[in-house]
Amino acid sequence: MTDTAAALAPLVEQRGWSTATGHLLGWSLLVVGGGQVLSGAVGELKGDGDALTMVACGVFVAAAGAALVRATTVPARIRSGTAFGAVTILWLAVCLVGAVPFWAAGVFAHWDEAIFESVSGFTATGGTVLSDIEAQGASILFWRQVTQWIGSIGFVVLALSVLPLLGVGGMELLRAETPGPDSDRLAPRVSDTTRRLSGIYVGLTALAAGGFLLAGMDLFDAVGHAMTAIATGGFSPYNNSLGHFDSLAVELVAVAAMFLGAVNFALFFHALRGRDVRVFWRSGEFRFFVGVTVASVAFVSTVLSLDGYGSHSVRDATFNVVSLVSTTGFGTVDFTRWVPSAQLVLLALMITGGMAGSTSGALKLFRIRVVVAAAARELRRVRHPRGVFAIRNDGRSIDEAIVSNVIGYVMLYFLVCVAGVVALAALDVDLVTGAGSVITAMGGVGPGLAETGPASNFLTVSRPARGVLDALMLLGRLEIIPVFLALRAATRFRRAG
């Protein structure tokens, strides 16, 4: 027992703070601290001088987490307002704590750069402010990849167990697909769902790591890239990302891993439980995801070939389409040099993202399907004003309240993007760079356009502009609404005080 935990123990026995936020924060800090200790251990094996600093940070964070876990209990029922606040506070706290090793090891000259790298990691965005990634020690490089792996499993649990219950952005459509128990009690549902999803997540990561090993990577690279591929994060210990290897085998493994990471994890659960892989194809969203991906690869590879790109047209188109539709952001080439039509397709994929309930970011394809179906219904109503046309999802009618919820969320998403572009323009960021940076931050993709493209980094924009992007990364990853409602609750609390 740590000194802090020992000091709090008598208080716990007497009172036992009943706070979901504090208890979940304690467990989150334990996981983050464990990740930092693991990263330090990896660095020590690689002879990294920053290993002890990383371990010290991890021990301190884990001790604080253990103290919080001992000092708190979870209420029998958690109100939606509490859940919104807890989600926002947890993510903010974890991002701040995750920045400590970068600062303590002297990686960055300014504290805001350490925070940007941490936020980019835990939100699985993949944008970086490191000018020379390969100059860093193994513990820092591995910690960058661990942040994405931890952040993404946290988001999957959030998407499949918390947001559907709270009716956020149409995510209640996922209730039928959620592997947790049919209970209206939030805490048991999260606990049960976390165990099941974590097992699938670890299994997919191990599978990807094995694939990378067979493709020729060493153990350090294979495990690190497997974590960020399944997490659809995109951090790599190399300046040229996966282009460093210039290997078709590595790219094929990465494409498979990124694709799997962008698939609804509930489908993996149902496939394993029923031992029937046909569950994937029975999902309309999965078929839509496959169709969008294949059509995009076909289009981009065709226009590249017609433009005289060469024999790598299909290879590079496949890798970059999957990388961006999954919002991973791994790079092999600078796609900002491609013809405008190919770039427009990639930009659209950065907005749509992969499937709901996956580690992928952005809008999610299920929302795109609902919006397109709603638009088509309005056209039909013009011809048949008295007609009743239901919008269906996998054979089931979608409640009109959910349809309105989805449309409202999509509009809010684009309004936030517009506000972000305006804010960056006010900070002297050019329009193309600003638009690309906002879209990649909101979607959790990583590379943007122009000065923040895959061949560059986010040091090219000012510090205030990166602060705006920090906020956008968190907003996009947390599905916007929980953050806004948490801010609204905080404002009401201050007024009441």
Side-chain angles (χ1 to χ4, degrees):
M1 182 188 299
T2 66
D3 292 339
T4 306
L8 288 172
L11 180 61
V12 176
E13 293 172 1
Q14 295 172 16
R15 293 177 54 189
W17 297 333
S18 181
T19 164
T21 302
H23 198 75
L24 293 175
L25 178 59
W27 281 112
S28 299
L29 293 180
L30 274 172
V31 172
V32 171
Q36 291 175 350
V37 170
L38 174 63
S39 300
V42 170
E44 183 65 26
L45 291 174
K46 300 281 286 185
D48 177 22
D50 293 326
L52 291 180
T53 300
M54 182 68 73
V55 170
C57 290
V59 170
F60 178 81
V61 171
L68 265 177
V69 170
R70 281 188 62 88
T72 57
T73 58
V74 179
R77 290 185 180 275
I78 303 174
R79 293 180 301 177
S80 60
T82 301
F84 287 131
V87 165
T88 304
I89 291 171
L90 289 180
W91 234 270
L92 286 172
V94 164
C95 288
L96 290 174
V97 169
V100 173
F102 296 126
W103 180 251
V107 176
F108 298 107
H110 304 287
W111 60 268
D112 58 292
E113 293 173 354
I115 290 176
F116 183 94
E117 199 77 8
S118 180
V119 172
S120 181
F122 282 108
T123 59
T125 301
T128 185
V129 285
L130 284 172
S131 57
D132 186 358
I133 298 173
E134 295 175 29
Q136 307 305 316
S139 56
I140 290 295
L141 294 176
F142 196 73
W143 171 237
R144 291 172 77 243
Q145 294 173 296
V146 168
T147 59
Q148 296 196 323
W149 196 75
I150 292 174
S152 283
I153 184 57
F155 175 74
V156 169
V157 173
L158 176 73
L160 283 175
S161 58
V162 180
L163 298 183
L165 292 176
L166 302 178
V168 172
M171 297 295 274
E172 56 268 44
L173 272 173
L174 296 176
R175 282 186 182 178
E177 302 297 331
T178 303
D182 294 328
S183 170
D184 62 350
R185 290 177 54 175
L186 185 59
R189 187 183 184 93
V190 173
S191 176
D192 186 74
T193 302
T194 300
R195 279 197 308 274
R196 299 183 182 190
L197 293 177
S198 295
I200 296 171
Y201 192 65
V202 171
L204 289 175
T205 305
L207 183 65
F212 281 127
L213 283 171
L214 292 175
M217 286 187 179
D218 62 25
L219 184 61
F220 176 80
D221 286 338
V223 173
H225 285 99
M227 289 193 297
T228 52
I230 295 298
T232 62
F235 271 159
S236 172
Y238 299 103
N239 294 325
N240 293 327
S241 189
L242 286 183
H244 169 86
F245 299 96
D246 192 22
S247 166
L248 177 60
V250 166
E251 291 173 26
L252 289 175
V253 173
V255 165
M258 292 186 292
F259 185 87
L260 290 175
V263 172
N264 188 337
F265 273 56
L267 295 180
F268 291 111
F269 170 80
H270 290 306
L272 290 171
R273 184 177 64 177
R275 296 183 180 181
D276 183 7
V277 295
R278 290 176 297 179
V279 69
F280 290 97
W281 200 248
R282 285 197 290 268
S283 167
E285 187 186 9
F286 180 81
R287 296 193 301 272
F288 187 53
F289 179 41
V290 172
V292 167
T293 303
V294 171
S296 299
V297 169
F299 178 83
V300 173
S301 59
T302 299
V303 297
L304 289 180
S305 297
L306 294 175
D307 191 54
Y309 188 80
S311 59
H312 279 208
S313 297
V314 175
R315 172 179 170 180
D316 289 346
T318 301
F319 184 90
N320 284 278
V321 163
V322 175
S323 180
L324 295 185
V325 75
S326 66
T327 72
T328 306
F330 277 142
T332 53
V333 296
D334 184 2
F335 58 75
T336 61
R337 298 178 179 273
W338 290 358
V339 294
S341 57
Q343 291 188 55
L344 282 174
V345 170
L346 297 182
L347 185 64
L349 296 177
M350 291 165 65
I351 297 172
T352 62
M355 295 180 66
S358 69
T359 61
S360 174
L363 272 174
K364 307 293 189 304
L365 287 171
F366 90 93
R367 292 192 179 105
I368 303 299
R369 291 180 69 208
V370 171
V371 170
V372 170
R377 181 177 64 177
E378 294 307 309
L379 291 176
R380 294 178 67 186
R381 281 177 173 171
V382 172
R383 296 183 59 189
H384 307 283
R386 298 182 181 180
V388 177
F389 308 105
I391 296 177
R392 309 181 73 83
N393 178 55
D394 291 344
R396 298 186 298 271
S397 297
I398 302 176
D399 188 89
E400 287 303 310
I402 296 178
V403 175
S404 298
N405 197 339
V406 170
I407 294 173
Y409 180 88
V410 172
M411 292 178 65
L412 181 60
Y413 188 95
F414 282 111
L415 283 173
V416 171
C417 285
V418 171
V421 173
V422 171
L424 292 190
L427 295 170
D428 294 326
V429 178
D430 71 85
L431 185 59
V432 176
T433 299
S437 298
V438 167
I439 289 171
T440 196
M442 282 291 291
V445 183
L449 301 175
E451 294 184 12
T452 57
S456 185
N457 57 55
F458 284 83
L459 284 174
T460 57
V461 298
S462 66
R463 295 171 68 184
R466 290 199 296 270
V468 173
L469 295 176
D470 281 334
L472 292 176
M473 285 189 284
L474 286 167
L475 275 171
R477 195 54 166 169
L478 298 182
E479 303 286 336
I480 304 176
I481 296 175
V483 180
F484 281 174
L485 292 181
L487 291 173
R488 182 182 179 186
T491 303
R492 285 182 173 179
F493 179 79
R494 287 188 62 184
R495 287 177 180 174

